[in-house]
Amino acid sequence: MTGTRTDRWLHLDGTTNTRDLGGLPTTDGGTTQFGRVLRSDNLQTLSPADVAALVEEVGLTEVVDLRTTAEILLEGRSPLRDVDTVTHRHFTLLPERGLRTDVFAAEESDEEIRAQLPADWAESLLPRQVAPGDEGEPPAVRSYLGYLTDGTDNVLAAVRSLAAGGPGAAVVHCAAGKDRTGVVCALTLAVAGVTPEAIIADYAQTAEIIDALVAKLASSPTYAEDMTRRDVASHTPRAESMRRVLEVLDERWGGPIGWLEQHGFGADEQAALRSRLRD
C-alpha cells in the first residue's frame, strides 16, 4: 500500500479482480500513487478479513458502484455497507428497467421497491446498448462507447466522485470489474496523465484472472446465464478493445480529457482528480 509497492493486485478472499491504480507510468515520467483509487469486481462476498484489510490497511473511505439497481437488489448488501466510515455512491452506466431510485435506500425496503418494479425488471440485467454510428465497431467497443452516450451523466458523476473524494482510498467496481469499471478507470487515468499504453495494459490485465472471474460470476444466479452462454474467450478483455476506444475518443473529442471537458468536467475538477492520484 506504499509508494514503493510494485504488486498492483490485492489478493482478497471475496474478490477476484481487485487491483490498485498506483504504480502506472505517466507521460511526464512520474507514476500514480498507491492507495488512492482501486478497481474491483463486485464486493458482496468480502470476508471480515477483507473488510479489515480494505478499511484499516488500504484506508478505504469510498465505494463507487457502477452496477444497475437490479444487480444490487439481486446480489444483496456488501459488508462494507455496515462500515460507518465508508461512503457508498451508485452510478449505473446501463439503462435501468423501470424505477430509477436511490438504490441504497432501496436496500432498506427491498419488498416495497420490488413491488414497484415492472414484472420483467430482472430480465434485462446487463443490456448492451449501441450508439448510432457505432454499429460497425467490435462488440466490446460498441458497449463501451454506449456507456459514454447513454450513461454520460453517470460516467461524469463517477469521475467527479473520485475527484471530490478523499482523504482515503476509493474503489470503483461493477460486477466483473472489467467493462464499466474499465471505462471509468480509463478516463480517470487519462486525467492523471497515465500513458495510453499503460491505460490499455491496465484494462487488459483482467485477462490474467479471467478463468477465476468467470467461474465466480457463474456461481451466482444473477450472472450465471450471461457467463455460461458464451465461452471464456468472449469474456476476456483484449488490449485492442481499449486501444480502439481511445482512438475513437481522439477522433471525436480530441481524447478522453476532451470528452470530459466537452461534457462539463472542467479544469478545477481535472486538477483535483490528478492530485488525488499523483500527489
Side-chain angles (χ1 to χ4, degrees):
M1 317 307 172
T2 69
T4 58
R5 184 179 168 204
T6 57
D7 178 14
R8 297 177 54 236
W9 289 103
L10 274 73
H11 303 289
L12 303 173
D13 299 326
T15 65
T16 304
N17 193 22
T18 305
R19 58 186 182 270
D20 200 309
L21 295 185
L24 295 174
T26 58
T27 56
D28 60 0
T31 57
T32 52
Q33 295 293 317
F34 283 94
R36 306 296 178 81
V37 179
L38 284 60
R39 57 181 296 168
S40 184
D41 51 326
N42 63 33
L43 307 174
Q44 269 54 48
T45 52
L46 290 175
S47 69
D50 293 338
V51 172
L54 288 169
V55 174
E56 298 170 15
E57 296 178 31
V58 178
L60 188 73
T61 57
E62 182 180 12
V63 174
V64 177
D65 190 338
L66 305 177
R67 297 174 300 162
T68 63
T69 300
E71 288 175 88
I72 296 173
L73 292 178
L74 286 167
E75 287 292 280
R77 293 171 64 95
S78 160
L80 286 169
R81 289 281 292 129
D82 298 322
V83 180
D84 292 340
T85 57
V86 177
T87 299
H88 284 70
R89 306 187 193 282
H90 174 230
F91 307 112
T92 178
L93 303 194
L94 298 174
E96 292 275 21
R97 265 237 169 139
L99 197 66
R100 289 181 178 272
T101 185
D102 178 347
V103 71
F104 299 120
E107 287 181 339
E108 309 303 331
S109 54
D110 284 357
E111 294 309 313
E112 178 183 346
I113 293 297
R114 288 169 190 257
Q116 298 177 53
L117 292 167
D120 61 352
W121 68 279
E123 291 180 8
S124 185
L125 190 67
L126 299 171
R128 269 56 173 189
Q129 67 269 53
V130 180
D134 293 335
E135 295 85 355
E137 298 290 352
V141 176
R142 291 199 304 263
S143 290
Y144 300 167
L145 295 175
Y147 304 157
L148 299 176
T149 301
D150 293 339
T152 303
D153 289 345
N154 278 350
V155 171
L156 289 167
V159 177
R160 282 193 167 111
S161 180
L162 296 175
V171 59
V172 182
H173 82 98
C174 52
K178 65 185 180 72
D179 300 316
R180 291 167 282 185
T181 298
V183 170
V184 169
C185 287
L187 294 172
T188 299
L189 292 174
V191 173
V194 172
T195 66
E197 284 304 315
I199 293 173
I200 293 165
D202 172 68
Y203 162 78
Q205 194 168 355
T206 294
E208 296 177 15
I209 49 80
I210 195 64
D211 289 319
L213 180 60
V214 168
K216 176 194 173 188
L217 292 173
S219 70
S220 165
T222 304
Y223 304 109
E225 181 181 356
D226 193 60
M227 291 297 107
T228 58
R229 69 184 176 188
R230 296 183 284 128
D231 61 16
V232 171
S234 68
H235 292 289
T236 303
R238 303 181 185 284
E240 54 264 32
S241 297
M242 183 55 68
R243 182 171 287 110
R244 178 56 185 157
V245 169
L246 296 181
E247 287 174 354
V248 172
L249 288 171
D250 284 340
E251 293 164 4
R252 297 181 186 175
W253 292 285
I257 296 175
W259 184 89
L260 288 164
E261 288 177 341
Q262 291 180 47
H263 290 89
F265 191 80
D268 289 346
E269 291 176 310
Q270 291 175 43
L273 183 56
R274 180 184 175 89
S275 177
R276 185 169 193 189
L277 275 89
R278 296 290 302 276
D279 296 340

